[in-house]
């Protein structure tokens, strides 16, 4: 099977958004997603990138940063292959389903 590598971007900030007080930081969410996805889909390539929405960005990342700030989206915002798939507290089940749609298989 020809499996293209999924790119997952987690957009957020060091400071939590006002309604996310009891949730992990965006950076912690990125690390948590990486660990959980690695366990679910071992030996299947993917990459996770954390993007600080308060640091200068350019290109496609800038488009999402502007959208997050202008639309007051709850962060972290999870983007898979340039599509927003989660806002605020991401659900692993939803992320797994999207990855499976792209050919990833649970080996358990």
């Amino acid at each position: 099977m020809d499996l293209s590598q999924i790119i997952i971007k987690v957009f957020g900030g060091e400071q939590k958004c006002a309604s996310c007080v009891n949730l992990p930081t965006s950076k912690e969410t990125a690390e948590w997603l990486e660990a959980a996805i690695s366990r679910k889909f071992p030996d299947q390539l993917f990459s996770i990138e954390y993007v600080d929405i308060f640091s200068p960005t350019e290109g496609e990342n800038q488009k999402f940063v502007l959208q997050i700030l202008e639309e007051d989206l709850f962060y972290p915002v999870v983007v898979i292959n340039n599509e927003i798939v989660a806002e605020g507290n991401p659900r692993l089940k939803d992320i797994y389903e999207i990855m499976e749609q792209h050919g990833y298989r649970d080996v358990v």
Side-chain angles (χ1 to χ4, degrees):
M1 170 186 3
D2 184 29
L3 184 67
S4 63
Q5 180 175 332
I6 280 190
I7 299 170
I8 301 169
K9 295 184 181 183
V10 179
F11 290 82
E14 291 298 317
Q15 184 176 349
K16 298 178 185 184
C17 66
S19 60
C20 304
V21 175
N22 295 321
L23 299 176
T25 66
S26 298
K27 198 170 215 170
E28 291 168 337
T29 298
E31 293 166 356
W32 168 73
L33 280 174
E34 185 168 24
I37 293 168
S38 293
R39 283 192 302 274
K40 177 81 169 174
F41 304 107
D43 303 322
Q44 297 173 67
L45 296 178
F46 68 94
S47 66
I48 292 195
E49 178 184 336
Y50 169 74
V51 180
D52 188 329
I53 62 174
F54 301 109
S55 294
T57 59
E58 49 188 53
E60 66 185 29
N61 287 347
Q62 185 176 23
K63 176 183 89 169
F64 288 109
V65 168
L66 290 174
Q67 183 177 356
I68 291 164
L69 296 175
E70 290 173 359
E71 297 178 18
D72 288 328
L73 299 179
F74 295 119
Y75 51 87
V77 172
V78 179
V79 174
I80 296 180
N81 290 350
N82 295 316
E83 180 182 338
I84 293 176
V85 298
E87 174 188 351
N89 189 17
R91 294 184 41 193
L92 272 178
K93 181 181 176 188
D94 296 340
I95 305 291
Y96 291 161
E97 284 179 13
I98 292 164
M99 294 189 73
E100 288 169 352
Q101 290 169 6
H102 284 85
Y104 286 73
R105 292 291 164 245
D106 186 353
V107 296
V108 178

